[in-house]
Amino acid sequence: MQTDVTKAGATLRALREKSGLTQQNLAAFLGVDQSLISKFETGERSLGVEQLDQLAALLGVDVDVFSSGTLDVPVLRLALRANSISQNDLQAISTINRIALDSDFMARIARINDIDERP
Amino acid sequence: MSDPRGKELQELREQALALRERMGLDTMAPVDPFLMQHLEREKLTLVRYPLGSAISGMCIKGSGGVVIAVNSTMSLGRQNFSLAHEFYHMYYDDSSAQTVCPAAIGTGSPVERRADQFASYFLMPPDALSAAIARLPTGHVDTVADVVALEQLFRVSRLAMLFRLTRDGKVSPEQAAQMRAHVITGARALGYDTSLYEALPDECQREARGYYFVQLDRLHKKDLISEGRYQELLHDVFRSGAPQEADDVD
């Protein structure tokens, strides 16, 4: 699947700003320079599939949003200041978000196969 | 003249009691929120994870269910408070589907402060706390020993107990400041078990349970996911897919 870099960048910027995270937060999380995040958001540079997957987990969205450009999705809300968050905090947040995304994935599979989701 | 703050507190008290009722809990008894039986029924997955010093917990309301995570590096008493705090986001906070909560109690945005107050009422219902205070030697909170007795009864941290007692006017802010020190040594000197004030051992700090496993088991048994995907999904909740060891030892 080819991701439109401009669309993906604009999507990342919108979701990042909605969540209250900074470019510096995302750069620290991925272990890259802030300028790469900045250039990705303006469509000047691309990011790898693995990096997009990591960012999706951090923001708590399905990685498909970067190709679809869907912005009407629930996104992470930080009730704490972005500058008080460490790289470890961001890793922890993405770990928990991935569990929630997995749960959503399993619910989708259950619905597609018409399985009763009640416990 | 109506008092907006008083009205809000009354609403939070009612919400806390309503949730206890929904969970089938007595309104007077202390509870361990981690032992709730309603996880699967409420499509709730509960996670303990080292979230770092700035974060106490997270609540994510997705299309598949709800995931609540609590910072496992904090003391057990603090974790109980954090979980009750996240229950507020799960059941009563419609402002966001995904919330990451700060570690400090009684600070932050209005919704964070409401969640803290809710947690306090959920773990220490007003009538139960009043009755417990009445049973103290003098019928009042006078000493550190009184505070320890209350926090041990309700399974909350010193900070959470003092937050509540100060709010209720049972201790002054000056008394509370003095009572914050030497928590573990003080409780031990009074003969209490101190596990309430300590985190779980490192090997127990990554744990998940609840609805996620119901979902996973169902898809696996019906062959709707590959073995590789099944292993990935287990790995994401800190489990390996190795065969279970014999569990016939009680």
Side-chain angles (χ1 to χ4, degrees), chain B residues 145-159:
Chain B
D146 294 335
V147 176
V148 175
L150 293 172
E151 68 203 15
Q152 287 281 336
L153 177 65
F154 291 105
R155 310 303 295 163
V156 296
S157 66
R158 176 69 50 87
L159 207 58

Side-chain angles (χ1 to χ4, degrees), chain A residues 93-104:
Chain A
I93 289 169
S94 73
T95 297
I96 305 305
N97 276 342
R98 196 173 287 283
I99 294 172
L101 291 168
D102 287 346
S103 179
D104 289 350

Side-chain angles (χ1 to χ4, degrees), chain A residues 59-60 74 76-80 89 92 95-97 99-100 102-107 111 113 115-119, chain B residues 40 49 51-52 54 60 62-64 69 93 95-100 102 211-212 215-216 218 222 224 229 233 236:
Chain A
L59 293 164
L76 185 76
R77 181 186 70 181
L78 291 166
L80 56 166
D89 295 337
T95 297
I96 305 305
N97 276 342
I99 294 172
D102 287 346
S103 179
D104 289 350
F105 163 77
M106 290 191 282
R111 279 196 286 272
N113 289 279
I115 294 173
D116 188 354
E117 287 184 71
R118 283 174 300 187
Chain B
E40 285 84 6
Y49 192 78
L51 292 174
I60 305 167
S63 60
D93 174 16
S95 64
S96 175
Q98 303 181 35
T99 311
V100 180
Y211 185 59
Y212 187 100
Q215 293 180 286
L216 185 56
R218 193 157 34 204
K222 290 183 184 291
L224 291 171
R229 187 69 175 122
L233 291 166
D236 286 350

Side-chain angles (χ1 to χ4, degrees), chain B residues 177-245:
Chain B
Q178 288 175 354
M179 290 171 167
R180 279 197 194 105
H182 311 301
V183 174
I184 293 178
T185 51
R188 188 178 292 128
L190 290 163
Y192 288 97
D193 174 80
T194 58
S195 57
L196 182 66
Y197 312 106
E198 295 166 23
L200 291 167
D202 287 353
E203 63 272 21
C204 301
Q205 289 188 0
R206 287 170 174 77
E207 175 203 48
R209 60 194 171 84
Y211 185 59
Y212 187 100
F213 293 96
V214 174
Q215 293 180 286
L216 185 56
D217 187 55
R218 193 157 34 204
L219 298 191
H220 189 233
K221 279 185 177 154
K222 290 183 184 291
D223 266 343
L224 291 171
I225 46 174
S226 68
E227 188 59 27
R229 187 69 175 122
Y230 174 68
Q231 295 296 335
E232 275 177 10
L233 291 166
L234 274 178
H235 177 266
D236 286 350
V237 284
F238 330 116
R239 302 270 182 102
S240 75
Q244 297 281 314
E245 289 179 16

Side-chain angles (χ1 to χ4, degrees), chain B:
Chain B
M1 195 170 67
S2 67
D3 170 10
R5 178 69 181 146
K7 193 177 169 194
E8 180 180 272
L9 291 177
Q10 179 59 30
E11 186 180 54
L12 290 167
R13 279 193 288 270
E14 288 169 4
Q15 288 172 332
L17 289 176
L19 183 58
R20 274 191 169 236
E21 198 171 312
R22 178 175 174 148
M23 292 177 172
L25 298 168
D26 186 270
T27 56
M28 292 297 281
V31 295
D32 181 342
F34 281 94
L35 296 180
M36 300 291 103
Q37 290 182 314
H38 74 310
L39 298 183
E40 285 84 6
R41 192 187 69 210
E42 305 281 312
K43 294 187 175 180
L44 170 59
T45 301
L46 193 52
V47 182
R48 288 191 206 253
Y49 192 78
L51 292 174
S53 57
I55 301 169
S56 63
M58 293 175 62
C59 178
I60 305 167
K61 292 183 266 191
S63 60
V66 179
V67 174
I68 286 180
V70 167
N71 189 343
S72 58
T73 64
M74 294 180 164
S75 72
L76 284 183
R78 183 63 171 83
Q79 289 183 46
N80 289 340
F81 192 87
S82 297
L83 179 52
H85 173 112
E86 299 306 329
F87 283 156
Y88 178 81
H89 290 299
M90 176 177 173
Y91 289 102
Y92 298 112
D93 174 16
D94 294 327
S95 64
S96 175
Q98 303 181 35
T99 311
V100 180
C101 301
I105 293 177
T107 62
S109 68
V111 71
E112 286 301 302
R113 289 200 294 270
R114 277 199 297 280
D116 281 338
Q117 195 65 54
F118 170 89
S120 185
Y121 288 142
F122 179 80
L123 295 172
M124 301 172 271
D127 290 348
L129 182 58
S130 296
I133 291 173
R135 289 193 298 270
L136 293 171
T138 64
H140 302 281
V141 185
D142 296 320
T143 65
V144 172
D146 294 335
V147 176
V148 175
L150 293 172
E151 68 203 15
Q152 287 281 336
L153 177 65
F154 291 105
R155 310 303 295 163
V156 296
S157 66
R158 176 69 50 87
L159 207 58
M161 194 73 240
L162 291 174
F163 167 75
R164 174 61 173 277
L165 293 174
T166 309
R167 281 286 173 94
D168 286 2
K170 304 294 183 189
V171 300
S172 68
E174 294 74 25
Q175 277 179 298
Q178 288 175 354
M179 290 171 167
R180 279 197 194 105
H182 311 301
V183 174
I184 293 178
T185 51
R188 188 178 292 128
L190 290 163
Y192 288 97
D193 174 80
T194 58
S195 57
L196 182 66
Y197 312 106
E198 295 166 23
L200 291 167
D202 287 353
E203 63 272 21
C204 301
Q205 289 188 0
R206 287 170 174 77
E207 175 203 48
R209 60 194 171 84
Y211 185 59
Y212 187 100
F213 293 96
V214 174
Q215 293 180 286
L216 185 56
D217 187 55
R218 193 157 34 204
L219 298 191
H220 189 233
K221 279 185 177 154
K222 290 183 184 291
D223 266 343
L224 291 171
I225 46 174
S226 68
E227 188 59 27
R229 187 69 175 122
Y230 174 68
Q231 295 296 335
E232 275 177 10
L233 291 166
L234 274 178
H235 177 266
D236 286 350
V237 284
F238 330 116
R239 302 270 182 102
S240 75
Q244 297 281 314
E245 289 179 16
D247 60 356
D248 57 352
V249 178
D250 190 0

